[in-house]
Amino acid sequence: MTKTQQTNVESFDLDHTAVAAPYVRVAGRTELGDGVELIKYDVRFTQPNKGHLGMKAVHSIEHMTAHHMRNHTDKLIDFSPMGCQTGFYAMTNGLEPEEFLPILAATMQDLLDATEVPAANEIQCGWGANHSLAEAQAAVKEFLDRRDEWEQVMA
């Protein structure tokens, strides 16, 4: 293994060979003042450099989570896919892990119960044909079935 250079990007400084997906970890905190704290979560579905989610699954999970999680909290700012297709970042307004994890689990159950992907059309989405409810639900089922592993980040 080669020695890596430190960067100014938190996720680049994470040793991706030392983690054990699936997991959920706090990837950053930013104080904005007036009692507002952004908490960024690394929601990792697959083991880095060993597997990845298909793009249709990623896209559909993103749409469904962005929609359904807001039914459980008004503190979700954003839910975005990682370019490596191994997971997502959730940006929240002050949701601590003990609050976030049950909301995430409830949202994942909503995705399993869903009958469609919200806004999966060319009017509301930049690539409306690039969705798969079945692929998204298969990935979410595996992630949710391993709920007891979410808080164990390192192998």
Side-chain angles (χ1 to χ4, degrees):
M1 175 186 264
T2 60
K3 182 164 172 53
T4 60
Q5 182 178 17
Q6 288 291 109
T7 72
N8 62 357
V9 179
E10 188 275 342
S11 64
F12 293 170
D13 293 336
L14 174 68
D15 182 349
H16 287 70
T17 65
V19 298
Y23 64 79
V24 179
R25 72 180 184 92
V26 173
R29 292 176 178 270
T30 304
E31 292 286 339
L32 297 180
D34 293 328
V36 176
E37 180 181 33
L38 296 181
I39 303 176
K40 176 182 172 183
Y41 289 91
D42 172 345
V43 180
R44 195 70 62 143
F45 273 58
T46 64
Q47 185 64 31
N49 299 300
K50 303 287 183 198
H52 67 279
L53 299 168
M55 199 55 227
K56 286 184 176 186
V58 168
H59 196 185
S60 296
I61 292 167
E62 174 208 5
H63 271 233
M64 293 194 306
T65 303
H67 172 79
H68 289 284
M69 191 176 283
R70 286 182 170 90
N71 293 330
H72 297 283
T73 182
D74 61 356
K75 294 184 176 185
L76 177 67
I77 295 169
D78 190 43
F79 192 84
S80 303
M82 295 176 176
C84 61
Q85 296 173 235
T86 63
F88 302 86
Y89 287 113
M91 183 70 71
T92 70
N93 180 4
L95 275 178
E96 293 295 337
E98 61 272 10
E99 300 167 290
F100 180 72
L101 291 172
I103 290 169
L104 180 62
T107 301
M108 293 297 109
Q109 186 60 55
D110 292 344
L111 273 59
L112 291 180
D113 297 338
T115 57
E116 67 179 2
V117 177
N121 60 69
E122 61 184 48
I123 294 171
Q124 295 175 291
C125 177
W127 193 7
N130 186 45
H131 288 279
S132 172
L133 178 62
E135 289 178 32
Q137 287 176 324
V140 165
K141 181 177 183 339
E142 185 174 334
F143 181 69
L144 192 54
D145 283 351
R146 296 176 66 189
R147 165 67 178 95
D148 61 336
E149 300 174 40
W150 290 1
E151 295 180 72
Q152 179 66 41
V153 177
M154 295 301 180

